[in-house]
Amino acid sequence: MHAASMPERHGFGYALTPVKLPPMDDLCERYTHITTRIANAARESGRPAGAVRLVAVSKTHTAQAVAQLAACGQRHFGESRVQEGVPKIAAMQDTALEWHFLGPVQRNKARLIAAHFHWLHSLESLDAAKTLSRHAAAAGTRLRALIEINVTCDPRKHGLAPAALPAFLEAYCAQSWPGLALCGLMTIAAHGGPETAVRQTFAQLRELAADSRRAFGLTDFDELSMGMSDDYHWAIAEGATIVRIGRALFGARAR
């Protein structure tokens, strides 16, 4: 696979900063190391090796970097900014990749999220759900959505408080959502926290999801997006089905 070229500027008036990429062999070696660790951690948690999906967080990195990692076998990529992600998706449209939107949903960007991304990890309001569902239905797509939970109630983070989840789900289940498929929960643990505290965060998310499935009869509410470069092995031990890894794959952010 040849690396896709990225236009220097595009319709959003935003330039992607080129970064110095590691040699292809280094990137593939890193990818193989991480996917092996994920498979081993899944087996150690009593699940099949393929039970955990890796999302390569490509924000701030170039379409060329995405193309290199796709050539190594990676298929799921995550972006946090619409104006950065959409041009990469366009540059890679000839490949069978799945794109995950990880950032906060801005109302004026909802149409682009619904039209270009396959997954959303940051649903936190019914207003956003209505807007995204409408745009996805109009585009003839169905967006797989995860509700972001601020497990530790950290005021610096996005997401619903755990105590707010039942009311959100009650209101959600009372309506029809032709453009959304609600698939599970997402959280971010405290950066650099001790293992006990981080694993407790992940365990609480797992329990919230299980309680929600039982209380609301959510048969396809099985996804747990939790764990990043420094703590994904703990997240898998606590039941993660999706881990979001950027730095450990691509290196430090470009900006």
Side-chain angles (χ1 to χ4, degrees), residues 3 19 27 36 44 58 67 85 120 134 149-150 155 164 184 194 216 226 234 238-239 243:
V19 297
L27 188 57
T36 299
E44 289 169 6
S58 49
L120 171 76
R134 184 176 72 251
I149 304 295
N150 186 347
F216 295 95
M226 55 190 196
W234 296 336
E238 295 298 341
V243 292

Side-chain angles (χ1 to χ4, degrees), residues 183-197:
C183 296
L185 304 178
M186 182 275 260
T187 199
I188 300 173
H191 178 68
E195 178 180 355
T196 301

Side-chain angles (χ1 to χ4, degrees), residues 16-22 58-66 68 84 88 250-255:
L16 289 176
T17 304
V19 297
K20 184 177 181 181
L21 297 176
S58 49
K59 63 182 181 181
T60 79
H61 297 287
T62 64
Q64 289 92 337
V66 171
Q68 285 189 9
E84 182 182 347
K88 290 181 193 175
F250 292 106
R253 292 182 186 177
R255 56 183 177 280

Side-chain angles (χ1 to χ4, degrees), residues 32 38 40 46 53 122 138 159 170 182 202 231 251-252:
T32 300
I38 289 171
N40 289 339
R53 182 183 293 108
S122 51
E170 183 174 4
L182 198 60
F202 296 148
D231 55 21

